[in-house]
Amino acid sequence: MKKTSILIVLFLVIISCKKEVVIQPETVKKHLYTLAADDMEGRRAGTKGIEKAAKYIEGEFKRIGLSTYDTLKDYRQTFTFTNRRTQKEITSSNIIGVLEGKGKKDEYVIVSAHYDHLGIRKKEGQLDSIYNGANDDASGVTGVLALAEYFAAKGDNERTIVFVAFTAEEMGLVGSRHFGKEIDASKFVAGINLEMIGKTPKTGPKTAWLTGFDRSDFGKIVQKNLEGTGYTLHPDPYTNFNLFFRSDNASLARLGVPSHTFSATPIDVDKDYHKASDEAETLDINVVTETIRAVAVGTQSIISGKDTPTRVVLEEKKKETKE
Ligand SMILES: [Zn+2]
């Protein structure tokens, strides 16, 4: 055999061995329906229901083969806080799993979503009292789990990826604030937060929007990576909603980390937002799946260490230093 034909055969063997990893709608559906099921009781921080969700996420992190974060002995970062509204003490956990980088081990990309929701609220005349939080934010946690499995199977992440399911977001970004207190922010090169990715947004089919688009060049990097895929990313269309500061990305952005939230939901007209009707059946599995796929492709050059987004500068901070 000629040298060239040997090389061709070798090349074919190599590409056939390298299995293509694809995020499947069946996997997405399984995570979503499990996390938004009635037996999770609305996943309110400090309840039995959220504990069930925590166990499910831990089980998935273990199956995927993630390691533990920093000095933690397992996937839990447990802490106690006082609920601002009820003044009750609550003990709850962020669930954290790590996929160590192949090369740039000390450069972290965080992939996050909150797994808590509003729990059970009995209201007169209302038959359903369980706030399942399917879109808000079982859909985002589904994304975290699917991306963990995806990047673990690909096995080529140069940077370390830290996957986090935050608790008590609904009580005032409590879990992410706690996480932020314990980190060296300079090690975190980017934050990918997912919130409500289950419905076709105002920006149209096969699109998502990003909060704080102009606060770093993270969004531009994602747009460039998505070119040719048919999926597009847009700046947050609800500029007066202050969404950049209303989800867990804010706890890291305040420390300078280019940490943004992806969303796919027309929140201005969404009738299920913070209602008992936020059920898995109201979501479009294809929208969830293609958004997670777009996040994977869109952030690839950040995961691989090729692109590093600019740090977030808060206008508010700029003003402070001028004065
Ligand atoms: Zn949310």
Side-chain angles (χ1 to χ4, degrees), residues 243-255:
L243 296 174
F244 187 66
F245 292 102
R246 283 174 56 191
S247 188
D248 291 316
N249 70 285
S251 301
L252 284 124
R254 285 182 197 282
L255 307 172

Side-chain angles (χ1 to χ4, degrees), residues 219-269:
K220 289 216 171 78
I221 293 169
V222 175
Q223 282 180 331
K224 185 193 70 190
N225 291 334
L226 286 175
E227 273 171 22
T229 63
Y231 195 103
T232 52
L233 181 71
H234 301 263
D236 163 14
Y238 308 103
T239 41
N240 53 348
F241 283 28
N242 202 26
L243 296 174
F244 187 66
F245 292 102
R246 283 174 56 191
S247 188
D248 291 316
N249 70 285
S251 301
L252 284 124
R254 285 182 197 282
L255 307 172
V257 180
S259 170
H260 300 260
T261 293
F262 287 86
S263 197
T265 290
I267 53 161
D268 51 342
V269 293

Side-chain angles (χ1 to χ4, degrees), residues 114 116-117 135-137 169-170 195-196 246-247 273-274:
H114 69 92
D116 71 304
H117 193 58
N135 201 14
D136 186 12
D137 190 22
E169 190 267 358
E170 304 285 8
E195 266 275 14
M196 304 174 70
R246 283 174 56 191
S247 188
Y273 176 71
H274 281 200

